[in-house]
Amino acid sequence: SRPLPPQVLPSFTYERCLLPGASVRSLWKEYALFLEGKGAVEDARGVLARASGVFFRDCAPMLLYHAQFEEAHGGLDAARALCAATCALPPPAIDAYLAAANLERRAGNTDGMRAAFAAAVDALRGEPLAALVRHAAAVERKLCGDHARGVALIESAIAREPANELLWDAALECATSAVVPAAAGAGDSPAYQAAAALLERMIAADSPLPPPARRRAWLRYQRLVDDYAGSVDAMRALKRSRDEAGLELTLDSEVPESAVPKPLPKRKPNGMSVDVSMGGGAAQPSPSPQQAQAQYTPEQLAQYQQYYAQYYQQQGYGQGYYPQQ
């Protein structure tokens, strides 16, 4: 038989490899990249068409890879068709809708980008939906200068999943992005009023959020008023509302871990610390408060009492661990 020409031999080798390895996605990509690097764009397009149209019709990464190839070589219509096919794959994936929106953004088609975001709101659920609307609102605000459209998109998502706290968090982030602290004597800005109105909806008695989420909303409301309100009256009014609701917002889960003192180490008679958690000794049961006090001299106990009293007074968490004598 006659030998193959040098320019044909690599393609022949790839085709031979695909006979047993057609299910290997990276092989198709490598084959297409080789042809593209040689300037054989149409041949590379044919390879990717075989991969995405036959062997990997239900594989989102391959479809999106082919879409990027088409976009890079001016085939916007083909790229849009591939992105649409990816979005139609079950279950709905945020990457597919982001790819479609970003394709339209790069093409300068703002309406197409917004259509992709709207389709994603209809298809996605849960955390992916919250992540997408958060991103979409940021794009509207930063790229298009249309803050109101981003707010409307998040509200449409909340209407679909009113109990999704992540969506409310995205709405609050969008609302507070334009809030600045009020100057002395200045009234509250419209951005502040919008954020406060959103938080009022989150803490309302008929709020769709579960009780733990409403308590977290109260904390966020308190921080908003403390940091941005133009009058102390707003702070006092919020405190009265909180008291009327019977809420105590100093939750243990809200106390930073670094603010909670670690237990005192056990000590040998010579005063050296012993940390049994690091190995070298068997774990011992936790001592009672009376046993803990008996391990220290009166001078040491008095010193620790003074330290913890000062620490807890500074942090505002109440009395120290050791009782007063």
Side-chain angles (χ1 to χ4, degrees):
S1 62
R2 297 173 58 185
L4 292 172
Q7 65 271 22
V8 177
L9 183 59
S11 297
F12 178 77
T13 304
Y14 274 114
E15 292 291 345
R16 289 286 300 273
C17 292
L18 285 174
L19 291 176
S23 61
V24 180
R25 193 169 66 215
S26 61
L27 185 57
W28 290 94
K29 292 181 178 180
E30 184 179 336
Y31 188 9
L33 280 173
F34 166 77
L35 293 172
E36 185 181 14
K38 294 295 184 180
V41 175
E42 290 303 321
D43 291 340
R45 178 176 281 117
V47 169
L48 290 176
R50 288 161 57 196
S52 63
V54 179
F55 297 98
F56 298 97
R57 288 177 297 179
D58 299 330
C59 179
M62 178 57 79
L63 293 175
L64 294 180
Y65 184 85
H66 188 183
Q68 291 175 3
F69 174 90
E70 294 291 353
E71 181 186 359
H73 293 283
L76 285 179
D77 291 339
R80 289 189 178 105
L82 288 162
C83 286
T86 309
C87 293
L89 293 177
I94 184 174
D95 290 343
Y97 289 96
L98 286 177
N102 287 327
L103 168 65
E104 301 298 347
R105 174 183 55 80
R106 291 190 294 266
N109 184 5
T110 303
D111 291 338
M113 177 190 72
R114 288 169 173 165
F117 285 145
V121 171
D122 291 336
L124 299 177
R125 295 291 182 272
E127 185 176 351
L129 174 60
L132 183 128
V133 296
R134 188 188 300 268
H135 170 74
V139 171
E140 290 287 359
R141 182 175 67 253
K142 298 176 181 179
L143 178 65
C144 306
D146 196 339
H147 177 78
R149 190 180 290 270
V151 173
L153 184 67
I154 298 177
E155 288 292 344
S156 68
I158 291 176
R160 298 186 66 87
E161 287 192 356
N164 187 342
E165 185 182 4
L166 294 174
L167 290 175
W168 291 91
D169 287 345
L172 185 58
E173 179 182 319
C174 185
T176 56
S177 61
V179 179
V180 295
D188 295 327
S189 66
Y192 171 87
Q193 294 173 2
L198 177 65
L199 285 161
E200 288 286 352
R201 291 166 55 196
M202 295 173 70
I203 65 176
D206 58 350
S207 170
L209 292 172
R214 291 203 297 271
R215 292 174 70 88
R216 287 189 286 270
W218 271 100
L219 286 167
R220 295 184 177 98
Y221 200 179
Q222 180 173 305
R223 296 189 188 107
L224 176 76
V225 173
D226 290 347
D227 294 340
Y228 296 101
S231 170
V232 72
D233 294 337
M235 300 170 58
R236 300 181 67 190
L238 181 63
K239 186 178 186 306
R240 285 195 299 270
S241 299
R242 187 188 67 196
D243 293 342
E244 291 172 0
L247 291 177
E248 177 56 53
L249 298 183
T250 55
L251 300 175
D252 292 340
S253 59
E254 297 294 332
V255 178
E257 185 179 354
S258 59
V260 180
K262 292 180 171 55
L264 294 173
K266 296 183 179 181
R267 292 181 178 274
K268 291 182 178 180
N270 61 4
M272 297 294 292
S273 298
V274 177
D275 187 359
V276 297
S277 65
M278 299 300 291
Q284 301 295 326
S286 301
S288 65
Q290 293 77 15
Q291 292 173 329
Q293 292 187 32
Q295 295 179 6
Y296 301 93
T297 66
E299 292 78 13
Q300 291 175 324
L301 186 59
Q303 181 180 1
Y304 286 123
Q305 287 175 342
Q306 181 180 5
Y307 167 78
Y308 277 100
Q310 293 175 351
Y311 179 85
Y312 276 81
Q313 185 177 8
Q314 293 171 358
Q315 300 295 330
Y317 296 138
Q319 299 297 321
Y321 174 77
Y322 291 99
Q324 299 292 330
Q325 297 295 324

